Amino acid sequence: MSRSWKTTILGLLAVAGVVITPGTAYGDDDLWAAATIEPGREGIVEVGGYAGTPLGAGSVLTLTAPSTTTVTGTPLTGLGYRGSVTLGGSTATYTYVGAPTAADGPEESTDSAPTAWKDRKYPFVLSVPADAEPGTRLPDCALVLRDANGTVRQKGTCTVTVGLPAPTLSRPHSGVPLGTRPKMIGTAYPGAQVTVRDAHEEEVCATTTAPSGVWWCVPSQPLPPGTGRLQATATLNGVSAASEQIDILVTDTAPDRGGGRLRR
């Protein structure tokens, strides 16, 4: 794997905050890809699974974007493949142009025609609309690999699931002494079920996010005195996301914090 490929993918993942779900082959003769991408974000869909005979220069892998999404990039470079995106982003391709030359660097030059399309993943950047419903599997994603003559050598489908934006846990504040039953407050996707858990994965409190995107709950049982850790997890339509963890200090004498009544 080339340095440029690693740098590109890691950078995109850091910006997009995307979760890439390893795909499972639908069959020995199928291409496959799977990813979970949040609404309004870009993420990587990696295509793999080719098990046929190696194809020569001029062979083309085409991804047809799922319904409502667009392809915005083909970041794989310097490995003998040329990526392109059609106008409007409904499809994108990688074309095998031949084994890289020595000018591409020693790591890339180990790639050769006999391994073309095999034992490698081919990344496409997809943009999911902001109004996509979390948990939805977007339809019509398709994969086709053709040889230089245009003959279809392998087909496949890809699974793109709309992810859930991570919730926030804005109160209690980390490092501020708390009473034993502090109010938990944060934001999450409207309608999502939010559960706050401690460092032992025990449930502290749970609630449903209001249409405004705000949630709050109070521990059903007093928190034990001492240091601890809290994290909120949101779940909706079978997908989940977690907030950052916060460290807390619970004392018997500190007042319960979290403010007064919160409008939902």
Side-chain angles (χ1 to χ4, degrees), residues 57-75:
S59 51
V60 179
L61 171 64
T62 302
L63 179 144
T64 299
S67 177
T68 73
T69 71
T70 56
V71 189
T72 60
T74 49

Side-chain angles (χ1 to χ4, degrees), residues 210-259:
S212 63
V214 176
W215 63 266
W216 67 271
C217 60
V218 175
S220 56
Q221 299 294 329
L223 299 178
T227 59
R229 182 168 294 174
L230 298 175
Q231 184 176 39
T233 300
T235 303
L236 182 69
N237 297 334
V239 290
S240 299
S243 72
E244 294 184 357
Q245 296 180 340
I246 63 169
D247 295 315
I248 59 171
L249 173 62
V250 179
T251 69
D252 290 323
T253 58
D256 293 331
R257 297 177 183 270

Side-chain angles (χ1 to χ4, degrees), residues 57-180:
S59 51
V60 179
L61 171 64
T62 302
L63 179 144
T64 299
S67 177
T68 73
T69 71
T70 56
V71 189
T72 60
T74 49
L76 179 63
T77 60
L79 294 170
Y81 300 89
R82 182 182 67 246
S84 64
V85 179
T86 58
L87 184 64
S90 60
T91 63
T93 61
Y94 279 109
T95 301
Y96 181 64
V97 296
T101 65
D104 291 320
E107 188 173 1
E108 286 84 352
S109 62
T110 59
D111 187 48
S112 59
T115 60
W117 304 114
K118 300 182 70 174
D119 303 320
R120 192 186 301 283
K121 301 290 181 63
Y122 302 90
F124 296 84
V125 183
L126 286 183
S127 177
V128 172
D131 60 354
E133 178 74 13
T136 303
R137 285 196 173 187
L138 302 176
D140 304 326
C141 186
L143 306 167
V144 179
L145 181 61
R146 293 180 171 86
D147 62 23
N149 297 319
T151 302
V152 174
R153 303 300 293 268
Q154 195 163 308
K155 292 184 177 181
T157 58
C158 50
T159 301
V160 178
T161 303
V162 182
L164 186 65
T168 66
L169 177 55
S170 55
R171 283 204 250 174
H173 298 297
S174 182
V176 177
L178 306 172
T180 58

Side-chain angles (χ1 to χ4, degrees), residues 32-58:
W32 54 263
T36 300
I37 306 173
E38 295 176 15
R41 305 298 292 270
E42 290 185 334
I44 303 291
V45 175
E46 291 184 306
V47 179
Y50 180 63
T53 58
L55 303 180

